[in-house]
Amino acid sequence: MKDKRIEWGNTIDVESLIGTYPQDSIRTGENLAVDWKLPDGIYSAKEVVIELDKLLEAILVQLGEPIDGNPSVLLDSLQANLAISGDLSSLPLGPLALKDKAGVELSVQAVRIGEQLVHWAREINSDKRALAKYGPETLGELEFRSHCYGHTLIPEAIAQVWGPAGGPKVMQLYNEYLHQFVLLRDALLPFANWEQVPFEVKEHKQFKGLRFLEPARKIFLTQLLGKELTHKAIVQYAQSVLSSGLTSAGYGFQYPLGTILPAALGQSPGEAARYLLKWHPVQTIKTEETQDIVAISFDYEYDDYYAALRSEAGAGIPASKDHFHISEDHSDLPSIARLLPNTESDRTTMRFSVEREGHASSSVDLGQLFRGHRFSYRPEKNSRSKDAAVERPSTSIHQVADILSHPGLVTNTDAGVHFISTGGNELVQWALLGKLYPENVVLLDKGDQEELEAALVSGKGYGTQFLVL
């Protein structure tokens, strides 16, 4: 984070695990027929696309002339299926015009992932690696039943798949090809760095490829499309995708291939995503009983922050609501943060500890930090006039150290404005989000007059307000 950093855990070498599989995805199946299955192993998104290209190449071989190995029509139909709008969309987030923060983030994410997957599909197919490896005879014999009935094709694709060279056999292959891409896109929705996320696939007799994800996906999409998606639900879905084996969900977790935490970590609080997650190639928790990396859920210190201990911020230094004179020396503020696990009880929690060499550290619950960020506000420019600002009984300035020194969560009952300057220190801004009661906290960017005026009419519009710069 510029000249700041966050440290924790031990690095895991995941790259060496991806792309090495005990079996081939094209192999002899039941009744000696040529079948396609994702073999056991660790995959990244692009590795799955490489394996799916074998299906597309088999389809092109079986279609023969006049398609002559040209996948453009079939890939255009895939693109239409992965779009978030249009009659063929498999995830019509666009027409729903989701306005909740989680829905907006995931809509942007769905577009980003879908476009990249199609780009990879075009790029990989241009090499015709499967054709060179297996030959037209083997690919021509590939055949299986695809149990899915929901994907619509563009007219040109219908003409190819059901044309003279097509038919039920080709349609089954293409249907599975589309469905596996949809499952892949949806599985990656929670992760900001989705291209890097490693996940394990295990073969199941009753599930082909990524179909083992279907039950969890159905629950997740019901919540998303119903506009009832919570951060906890996103974490729960991510755990299912990564085969963690965890049943309870907090705000993040460790699994055998790394650590998953909210994507905001390491970003500027004012600009960071609130609901997406991020994979880190890090073992956060070591266990004495085994050398293996075990799956562990990270819990909030306060299950219900409303019931947590609260402390009063106090009167602070009186100031004018139209101007905050900032004279605090920020030279001794922290430049390092450490994530410190606590595994001494049946719940695993994490502390976000900020420190500067030679100075004592302050720490807050990492989960509460992320919760505070999700519930924070940004100045709402042009939303309400200055005249709409609530008359507040007092305006005051607080020192960072004073706020962080209080026990529990910090609030005030005076309905006043409380200003805290961090000198732009993002580590301290994060720490304050974990310390302030998450009800009416506004994150500032510049602290100029225009932004201050907008901030004063932002948030709930009543009660105590904290401004963090």
Side-chain angles (χ1 to χ4, degrees), residues 264-319:
L265 187 67
Q267 305 297 314
S268 170
E271 302 171 356
R274 297 171 188 251
Y275 283 84
L276 294 180
L277 306 173
K278 185 176 181 179
W279 168 76
H280 301 272
V282 175
Q283 180 180 8
T284 299
I285 309 282
K286 279 193 171 184
T287 55
E288 297 179 358
E289 296 81 9
T290 176
Q291 295 297 314
D292 296 332
I293 301 175
V294 298
I296 299 173
S297 177
F298 303 141
D299 294 318
Y300 294 93
E301 179 180 5
Y302 311 116
D303 285 333
D304 180 5
Y305 68 90
Y306 185 81
L309 171 68
R310 301 186 206 181
S311 296
E312 292 279 310
I317 303 170

Side-chain angles (χ1 to χ4, degrees), residues 20-24 27 39-41 43 203:
T20 303
Y21 312 116
Q23 296 190 71
D24 202 319
R27 68 185 95 146
D40 289 345
Y43 290 80
E203 283 193 36

